[in-house]
Amino acid sequence: HVQLVESGGGSMQAGESLKLSCAASGGTTSGLTIREVCMGWFRQAPGKEREGVGTLDRDGTVTYADSARGRFTISHDGAKNTLYLQMDDLRPEDTAMYYCAADTPWCKEVPGVPVARGVFRYWGQGTQVTVS
């Protein structure tokens, strides 16, 4: 079965940088390959809805939420089948559990809006980012 495994979370000071990783594996005989499906990063702070941070579409388009644009960068490594989220100039309001997800037909629509779990076919278990 498909697995998405996030890593790289931690406790940071405001202004610092952090890079999250999401390794994709498993799936059909051809596996889940980044760039063959929409991939995205999401976050959920305590007491708040899960929101889209940014997505990488199959055509290579990266779409960011307003809160992420200019500070966060989504990239991927095809050889490692891994999606990344580089977060710079971290702020306390970035504190949240960060998730990656794969496969949705609404790739460009989800950044910046609340996202229900059913919108994406696959989800990782999350990695915590705390900024103080």
Side-chain angles (χ1 to χ4, degrees):
H1 64 284
V2 171
Q3 280 191 312
L4 301 176
V5 181
E6 303 96 333
S7 61
S11 295
M12 312 299 292
Q13 297 292 315
E16 291 184 329
S17 297
L18 191 65
K19 189 173 185 178
L20 306 183
S21 300
C22 172
S25 63
T28 66
T29 53
S30 62
L32 175 69
T33 303
I34 292 174
R35 291 297 305 275
E36 291 186 358
V37 295
C38 169
M39 300 286 298
W41 284 101
F42 303 83
R43 66 185 183 184
Q44 187 167 18
K48 295 188 177 180
E49 295 180 285
R50 186 175 305 187
E51 67 170 3
V53 173
T55 55
L56 170 64
D57 209 343
R58 290 177 296 172
D59 62 4
T61 303
V62 180
T63 305
Y64 295 101
D66 289 344
S67 60
R69 192 174 297 113
R71 296 189 300 124
F72 294 3
T73 304
I74 290 174
S75 62
H76 78 287
D77 184 328
K80 295 181 179 180
N81 211 27
T82 298
L83 185 74
Y84 300 101
L85 178 66
Q86 174 70 42
M87 302 186 291
D88 298 320
D89 189 24
L90 284 165
R91 304 167 181 171
E93 54 264 38
D94 296 320
T95 295
M97 184 70 80
Y98 283 72
Y99 301 88
C100 71
D103 202 359
T104 183
W106 302 288
C107 201
K108 295 178 176 62
E109 289 80 9
V110 297
V113 300
V115 178
R117 190 173 182 86
V119 172
F120 277 74
R121 187 173 181 183
Y122 305 107
W123 289 88
Q125 83 290 347
T127 187
Q128 177 68 38
V129 174
T130 302
V131 185
S132 60

